[in-house]
Amino acid sequence: MRLTKFGHAAVRLEKDGRTLVIDPGALTGPEALDGADAVLVTHEHYDHFVEETLRTAAETNPELRVWTNPEVARHLDGLGAGRVNAVTHGDTFSAAGFDVEVHGQWHAPIHPELPDSRNIGFVLDDGKLFYPGDAFTLPERRIDTLLLLSHAPWANSTQIFDYARAVGASRAFNTHDALLSDAGRAIVGGLFGTLVPGLAYAKLAIGESVDI
């Protein structure tokens, strides 16, 4: 599969002529959805999901299908039977030729005074890739490539590095990094070599692609 990083939390995955997009939120341009066959959305926060953008893409492409948690699915009522699929932890399905497993239920805690919110992660193609969304979910399987949250106002570096260790993937790429400067990205990337031995971590620029 070929992975392309888009702004902040969005990635495009291409395989056998089909395209899957994950979390095309407000910090990503709508071009991330151009030609997409399917979309996965981890949760309803604006940096991962924009209802208007996804509705426009679905209206432009009648074949586009969406898989997400029930809360996000309710925002997309009216797109047509079978086009929006609500899934939860333990579900499996096929989207745009990718085999997908759902892992996790909750967003990482943000603050005790804020309500919990739902978040699901997606394991693709028998562990080849894991996208956890805004959570530190530990999938109950081997993972080859982890799309790793690099920064969030509610996370600290210890959590991020310890999470990467716990998942045990052999390779990781950056996501959720729009609030980091270039210097911040370099610092985070450099620490992985010290704190997560054995993890091949690479920083992808927006628009950069890699085969995995």
Side-chain angles (χ1 to χ4, degrees):
M1 76 178 70
R2 186 160 183 79
L3 180 151
T4 302
K5 176 174 169 54
F6 278 77
H8 192 52
V11 296
R12 279 173 65 103
L13 299 163
E14 297 168 281
K15 184 179 73 171
D16 299 332
R18 304 188 72 188
T19 299
L20 173 69
V21 177
I22 306 178
D23 279 6
L27 303 180
T28 295
E31 67 274 7
L33 289 164
D34 290 350
D37 299 290
V39 178
L40 309 182
V41 178
T42 61
H43 64 289
E44 61 185 332
H45 291 164
Y46 83 100
D47 54 335
H48 297 257
F49 166 68
V50 178
E51 178 182 346
E52 181 181 355
T53 300
L54 204 46
R55 282 188 177 275
T56 298
E59 290 165 1
T60 301
N61 176 11
E63 301 302 315
L64 184 68
R65 299 291 184 268
V66 180
W67 283 263
T68 185
N69 68 45
E71 285 75 10
V72 175
R74 281 194 285 271
H75 288 291
L76 297 172
D77 283 347
L79 285 183
R83 298 197 66 189
V84 179
N85 305 274
V87 291
T88 58
H89 176 72
D91 287 341
T92 61
F93 58 91
S94 179
F98 294 84
D99 295 324
V100 185
E101 304 170 5
V102 181
H103 289 255
Q105 302 180 68
W106 295 104
H107 192 290
I110 298 176
H111 190 278
E113 295 178 8
L114 295 176
D116 293 334
S117 58
R118 296 283 182 178
N119 178 98
I120 55 176
F122 301 104
V123 170
L124 275 61
D125 287 358
D126 197 31
K128 192 168 188 178
L129 180 79
F130 179 42
Y131 187 105
D134 283 9
F136 296 121
T137 301
L138 293 176
E140 300 172 358
R141 55 148 54 251
R142 176 190 56 78
I143 299 297
D144 294 331
T145 299
L146 173 64
L147 295 181
L148 182 62
L149 177 142
S150 299
H151 173 269
W154 42 264
N156 63 54
S157 57
T158 297
Q159 289 175 301
I160 294 169
F161 295 126
D162 285 353
Y163 176 64
R165 288 179 178 177
V167 173
S170 58
R171 176 168 55 176
F173 296 108
N174 53 310
T175 64
H176 213 275
D177 56 357
L179 300 185
L180 284 176
S181 65
D182 289 342
R185 291 186 182 92
I187 290 169
V188 170
L191 285 171
F192 276 102
T194 301
L195 296 174
V196 194
L199 177 70
Y201 177 83
K203 303 185 301 295
L204 297 179
I206 294 175
E208 186 175 356
S209 300
V210 63
D211 291 326
I212 60 175

